[in-house]
Amino acid sequence: LKELDEEVKKTKLLFQRRIGEDGKTYTKEEFLIKFHDQQKWQDSKKPEDDDRPKWTIKDFCGPRLGEVVADSFTPQNAKDDPDWQIAFMRTLGRKGSVELVKGLLQSQDVVTSLANKIFECAKEISAAAAATGEELNDKFAVEGAREMSYGTKADYFNGLEVRIGAPNPR
């Protein structure tokens, strides 16, 4: 993994986000195009963390890798028989061993299957226009958009009748 370290650092910097003078969030490339100033990038603030869960390899790849592992040791004659599958797992738990499970996984060449699935996940995320919730949210931000409002909270809680009158009973 050491050979990837420098490239990971560069990629992380590419997707790092900062808040511009206009209050919007930018990647470094977007920031420099908009403001043309490396020093302003250095001086700008990072966005505050929000309550959304952060992107993790475990969350993104975990379910897919679990499928690979489960598929690899599900007996062929039990693929469409859930009762056979649970009986197999119960028997494995009572009569099996770690060595037996390792043997099952090795006989199915699970390492190669996992490597293929991990690489597939990595290619998918590298090609994604928006990979995280934050990036997906930014996709819908419109340049020059403003927040609009009409009235106050009191107007809202007073309801429509105060603003436009009672409904016509006819």
Side-chain angles (χ1 to χ4, degrees):
L1 291 178
K2 283 191 176 193
E3 60 266 11
L4 288 179
D5 277 351
E6 284 305 312
E7 199 60 37
V8 170
K9 288 175 187 173
K10 290 176 190 175
T11 302
K12 183 179 176 187
L13 288 175
L14 281 175
F15 291 96
Q16 188 178 47
R17 298 183 161 294
R18 298 284 174 90
I19 299 174
E21 297 170 338
D22 56 2
K24 295 180 183 168
T25 306
Y26 298 94
T27 63
K28 186 172 185 177
E29 182 180 2
E30 295 165 341
F31 190 96
L32 295 176
I33 289 170
K34 176 88 175 177
F35 300 108
H36 310 288
D37 191 340
Q38 176 72 30
Q39 189 58 45
K40 282 183 183 177
W41 169 261
Q42 299 296 339
D43 296 339
S44 60
K45 291 188 335 184
K46 292 182 180 179
E48 291 183 23
D49 284 340
D50 56 20
D51 293 340
R52 287 183 285 201
K54 300 297 180 202
W55 189 96
T56 64
I57 292 173
K58 179 182 176 182
D59 291 339
F60 186 72
C61 294
R64 300 166 194 210
L65 300 180
E67 288 174 13
V68 169
V69 172
D71 286 346
S72 71
F73 71 87
T74 302
Q76 289 300 319
N77 60 337
K79 294 282 185 194
D80 297 322
D81 187 351
D83 293 334
W84 211 102
Q85 290 180 27
I86 195 160
F88 173 77
M89 289 301 289
R90 286 177 173 152
T91 304
L92 184 62
R94 281 193 315 247
K95 304 284 184 181
S97 66
V98 171
E99 292 305 314
L100 176 62
V101 173
K102 284 171 59 176
L104 285 168
L105 294 173
Q106 288 169 345
S107 72
Q108 297 297 314
D109 197 17
V110 174
V111 171
T112 300
S113 298
L114 287 172
N116 286 330
K117 187 57 81 171
I118 290 168
F119 189 62
E120 185 181 301
C121 289
K123 287 192 313 187
E124 183 181 329
I125 203 71
S126 70
T132 67
E134 182 182 7
E135 290 172 354
L136 190 58
N137 212 19
D138 290 347
K139 176 179 163 181
F140 296 102
V142 177
E143 181 69 29
R146 294 179 289 289
E147 186 175 307
M148 297 176 66
S149 64
Y150 182 75
T152 64
K153 274 188 183 178
D155 293 327
Y156 174 80
F157 288 110
N158 285 333
L160 283 174
E161 198 168 312
V162 173
R163 304 249 334 128
I164 61 174
N168 187 345
R170 292 194 275 178

